[in-house]
């Protein structure tokens, strides 16, 4: 992609898709007979949700919610806000939160607290990436695609200043 030459490939497309197929198969096994709702955390998780959901061979619902935690900077502010909420109640349903990346854990910690008081029947998390080196809140991660070292990554939904979400691989800023 033009302007993307500053990025090096961390996880190539084939590896991403193979792992997503495994996650989808595992989720399908775990949620058979349940009332699954995939909750996509916008905007970063939208590409992952799109591929993951097609690897889950079950009837399921999707809903979307937008959070702001970073602004356009590359470090977490610790201040999280719901900028766009779910369209439907999740009470009594089996909610699987789909995230792009868990870094400090602050965003997810906030979200799970917020969801618990809505009384879903179950509440789990599926994240494509986990960067454990910056953990500030320990949140249980039920499904993890890849554990990565402390690098600022882009692509496959992840942005740098709102760009590069459409790269089909995970890259990192080479600076
Ligand atoms: P946390 O609250 O620190 O766990 O950060 C969660 C959010 O920060 C993610 O959902 C991303 O939107 C963003 N984020 C964290 N690390 C990266 C990165 O390396 N690249 C792009 N976005 C990131
Ligand atoms: Mg995110």
């Amino acid at each position: 992609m033009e302007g993307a030459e500053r990025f090096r490939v961390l996880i190539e497309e084939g590896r991403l898709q193979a792992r997503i197929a495994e996650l989808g198969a595992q989720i399908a096994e775990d949620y058979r007979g349940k009332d699954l709702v995939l909750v996509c955390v916008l905007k970063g998780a939208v590409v992952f949700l799109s591929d993951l959901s097609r690897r889950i061979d079950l009837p399921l619902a999707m809903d979307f919610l937008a959070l702001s935690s970073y602004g356009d900077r590359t470090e977490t502010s610790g201040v999280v806000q719901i900028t766009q909420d779910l369209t439907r109640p999740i009470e009594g349903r089996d909610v699987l939160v789909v995230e792009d990346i868990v870094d400090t854990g602050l965003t997810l910690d906030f979200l799970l607290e917020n969801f618990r008081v809505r009384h879903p029947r179950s509440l789990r998390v599926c994240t494509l990436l986990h960067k454990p080196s910056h953990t500030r809140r320990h949140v249980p991660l039920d499904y993890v695609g890849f554990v990565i070292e402390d690098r600022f990554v882009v692509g496959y939904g992840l942005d740098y200043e709102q760009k590069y979400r459409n790269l089909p691989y995970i890259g990192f800023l080479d600076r």
Side-chain angles (χ1 to χ4, degrees), residues 69-70 76 99-108 131 151-154 158-159:
S69 64
Y70 264 37
T76 194
E99 255 289 25
D100 50 359
I101 186 167
V102 177
D103 185 12
T104 62
L106 288 167
T107 305
L108 204 53
K131 256 197 307 202
R151 282 216 170 105
F152 191 80
V153 290
V154 297
L158 292 146
D159 72 302

Short mmCIF file of all heavy atoms in Angstrom, two decimals, residues 69-70 76 99-108 131 151-154 158-159, ligand 1:
data_model
loop_
_atom_site.label_atom_id
_atom_site.label_comp_id
_atom_site.label_asym_id
_atom_site.label_seq_id
_atom_site.Cartn_x
_atom_site.Cartn_y
_atom_site.Cartn_z
N SER A 69 -10.55 5.59 23.82
CA SER A 69 -9.62 5.52 24.94
C SER A 69 -8.29 6.16 24.58
O SER A 69 -7.55 6.59 25.44
CB SER A 69 -9.37 4.08 25.36
OG SER A 69 -8.76 3.36 24.33
N TYR A 70 -8.02 6.24 23.30
CA TYR A 70 -6.69 6.67 22.88
C TYR A 70 -6.63 8.04 22.26
O TYR A 70 -5.57 8.62 22.16
CB TYR A 70 -6.15 5.67 21.83
CG TYR A 70 -5.28 4.61 22.37
CD1 TYR A 70 -5.53 4.03 23.59
CD2 TYR A 70 -4.17 4.19 21.64
CE1 TYR A 70 -4.71 3.02 24.08
CE2 TYR A 70 -3.36 3.20 22.12
CZ TYR A 70 -3.63 2.61 23.35
OH TYR A 70 -2.81 1.63 23.81
N THR A 76 -2.21 4.92 25.92
CA THR A 76 -3.54 4.95 26.50
C THR A 76 -3.67 6.13 27.46
O THR A 76 -2.73 6.51 28.14
CB THR A 76 -3.86 3.63 27.23
OG1 THR A 76 -5.25 3.59 27.48
CG2 THR A 76 -3.12 3.50 28.54
N GLU A 99 -12.48 -8.02 20.43
CA GLU A 99 -11.54 -6.88 20.48
C GLU A 99 -10.39 -7.09 19.50
O GLU A 99 -10.04 -8.23 19.17
CB GLU A 99 -10.97 -6.75 21.90
CG GLU A 99 -11.55 -5.59 22.70
CD GLU A 99 -11.10 -4.22 22.22
OE1 GLU A 99 -10.73 -4.06 21.04
OE2 GLU A 99 -11.12 -3.29 23.05
N ASP A 100 -9.79 -5.99 19.08
CA ASP A 100 -8.62 -6.10 18.22
C ASP A 100 -7.36 -6.38 19.04
O ASP A 100 -6.58 -7.27 18.72
CB ASP A 100 -8.43 -4.81 17.39
CG ASP A 100 -8.50 -3.53 18.23
OD1 ASP A 100 -8.70 -3.60 19.46
OD2 ASP A 100 -8.35 -2.44 17.63
N ILE A 101 -7.19 -5.62 20.13
CA ILE A 101 -5.95 -5.76 20.90
C ILE A 101 -6.19 -5.36 22.34
O ILE A 101 -6.95 -4.43 22.62
CB ILE A 101 -4.82 -4.90 20.26
CG1 ILE A 101 -3.47 -5.14 20.95
CG2 ILE A 101 -5.16 -3.43 20.24
CD1 ILE A 101 -2.28 -4.59 20.17
N VAL A 102 -5.60 -6.09 23.25
CA VAL A 102 -5.61 -5.71 24.66
C VAL A 102 -4.19 -5.33 25.03
O VAL A 102 -3.26 -6.13 24.88
CB VAL A 102 -6.12 -6.85 25.56
CG1 VAL A 102 -6.07 -6.45 27.03
CG2 VAL A 102 -7.55 -7.23 25.17
N ASP A 103 -4.05 -4.09 25.48
CA ASP A 103 -2.73 -3.54 25.80
C ASP A 103 -2.64 -3.37 27.32
O ASP A 103 -2.23 -4.28 28.03
CB ASP A 103 -2.57 -2.23 25.03
CG ASP A 103 -1.19 -1.60 25.18
OD1 ASP A 103 -0.28 -2.27 25.68
OD2 ASP A 103 -1.03 -0.43 24.78
N THR A 104 -3.07 -2.23 27.84
CA THR A 104 -3.07 -2.06 29.30
C THR A 104 -4.21 -2.84 29.97
O THR A 104 -4.13 -3.14 31.15
CB THR A 104 -3.28 -0.57 29.69
OG1 THR A 104 -4.55 -0.14 29.20
CG2 THR A 104 -2.17 0.29 29.12
N GLY A 105 -5.26 -3.12 29.22
CA GLY A 105 -6.44 -3.78 29.79
C GLY A 105 -7.46 -2.79 30.33
O GLY A 105 -8.55 -3.18 30.75
N LEU A 106 -7.13 -1.50 30.32
CA LEU A 106 -8.03 -0.48 30.89
C LEU A 106 -9.35 -0.40 30.12
O LEU A 106 -10.43 -0.30 30.72
CB LEU A 106 -7.34 0.89 30.89
CG LEU A 106 -6.21 1.08 31.90
CD1 LEU A 106 -5.42 2.35 31.59
CD2 LEU A 106 -6.75 1.13 33.32
N THR A 107 -9.27 -0.47 28.81
CA THR A 107 -10.47 -0.35 27.98
C THR A 107 -11.42 -1.51 28.26
O THR A 107 -12.62 -1.32 28.50
CB THR A 107 -10.08 -0.36 26.48
OG1 THR A 107 -9.13 0.68 26.25
CG2 THR A 107 -11.29 -0.16 25.60
N LEU A 108 -10.88 -2.71 28.23
CA LEU A 108 -11.70 -3.90 28.43
C LEU A 108 -12.24 -3.99 29.85
O LEU A 108 -13.39 -4.40 30.06
CB LEU A 108 -10.83 -5.13 28.13
CG LEU A 108 -11.57 -6.37 27.73
CD1 LEU A 108 -12.51 -6.09 26.57
CD2 LEU A 108 -10.57 -7.44 27.34
N LYS A 131 -0.98 -7.73 24.16
CA LYS A 131 0.36 -7.19 24.42
C LYS A 131 0.53 -7.15 25.93
O LYS A 131 0.23 -6.15 26.57
CB LYS A 131 0.40 -5.75 23.90
CG LYS A 131 1.15 -5.58 22.61
CD LYS A 131 1.55 -4.16 22.27
CE LYS A 131 0.52 -3.08 22.25
NZ LYS A 131 0.89 -1.90 21.45
N ARG A 151 5.06 -3.59 20.83
CA ARG A 151 5.27 -2.85 19.60
C ARG A 151 3.98 -2.19 19.24
O ARG A 151 2.92 -2.75 19.50
CB ARG A 151 5.58 -3.83 18.46
CG ARG A 151 6.99 -4.35 18.46
CD ARG A 151 7.42 -4.49 17.01
NE ARG A 151 8.84 -4.75 16.95
CZ ARG A 151 9.35 -5.95 16.68
NH1 ARG A 151 8.55 -6.98 16.46
NH2 ARG A 151 10.64 -6.11 16.63
N PHE A 152 4.04 -1.03 18.63
CA PHE A 152 2.81 -0.42 18.13
C PHE A 152 2.49 -1.01 16.77
O PHE A 152 3.25 -0.87 15.82
CB PHE A 152 2.93 1.10 18.04
CG PHE A 152 1.60 1.73 17.79
CD1 PHE A 152 0.72 1.92 18.84
CD2 PHE A 152 1.22 2.07 16.51
CE1 PHE A 152 -0.54 2.45 18.61
CE2 PHE A 152 -0.05 2.59 16.26
CZ PHE A 152 -0.92 2.79 17.32
N VAL A 153 1.38 -1.71 16.71
CA VAL A 153 1.03 -2.43 15.49
C VAL A 153 -0.14 -1.77 14.76
O VAL A 153 -0.96 -1.08 15.37
CB VAL A 153 0.71 -3.91 15.78
CG1 VAL A 153 1.96 -4.67 16.18
CG2 VAL A 153 -0.36 -4.05 16.86
N VAL A 154 -0.18 -1.98 13.48
CA VAL A 154 -1.25 -1.45 12.65
C VAL A 154 -1.72 -2.53 11.67
O VAL A 154 -1.06 -3.55 11.50
CB VAL A 154 -0.80 -0.22 11.81
CG1 VAL A 154 -0.42 0.94 12.71
CG2 VAL A 154 0.33 -0.57 10.86
N LEU A 158 -6.44 -2.29 12.96
CA LEU A 158 -5.72 -1.39 13.86
C LEU A 158 -5.17 -0.19 13.09
O LEU A 158 -4.65 -0.33 11.98
CB LEU A 158 -4.57 -2.14 14.53
CG LEU A 158 -5.02 -3.22 15.51
CD1 LEU A 158 -4.07 -4.38 15.49
CD2 LEU A 158 -5.15 -2.63 16.89
N ASP A 159 -5.28 0.97 13.73
CA ASP A 159 -4.91 2.20 13.02
C ASP A 159 -3.73 2.91 13.66
O ASP A 159 -3.41 2.70 14.82
CB ASP A 159 -6.10 3.17 13.03
CG ASP A 159 -6.33 3.77 14.41
OD1 ASP A 159 -6.55 3.01 15.36
OD2 ASP A 159 -6.26 5.01 14.54
P1 LIG B 1 -5.84 -0.71 26.34
O1 LIG B 1 -6.96 0.01 27.04
O2 LIG B 1 -4.51 -0.11 26.71
O3 LIG B 1 -5.87 -2.20 26.59
O4 LIG B 1 -5.94 -0.43 24.80
C1 LIG B 1 -6.95 -0.91 24.05
C2 LIG B 1 -7.13 -0.15 22.76
O5 LIG B 1 -6.02 0.67 22.43
C3 LIG B 1 -7.25 -1.13 21.63
O6 LIG B 1 -8.57 -1.57 21.47
C4 LIG B 1 -6.74 -0.32 20.46
O7 LIG B 1 -7.79 0.41 19.88
C5 LIG B 1 -5.70 0.60 21.05
N1 LIG B 1 -4.34 0.05 20.89
C6 LIG B 1 -3.55 -0.52 21.82
N2 LIG B 1 -2.37 -0.92 21.31
C7 LIG B 1 -2.41 -0.59 20.00
C8 LIG B 1 -1.49 -0.77 18.91
O8 LIG B 1 -0.36 -1.30 19.03
N3 LIG B 1 -1.90 -0.30 17.70
C9 LIG B 1 -3.11 0.28 17.49
N4 LIG B 1 -4.01 0.45 18.48
C10 LIG B 1 -3.67 0.03 19.73
#
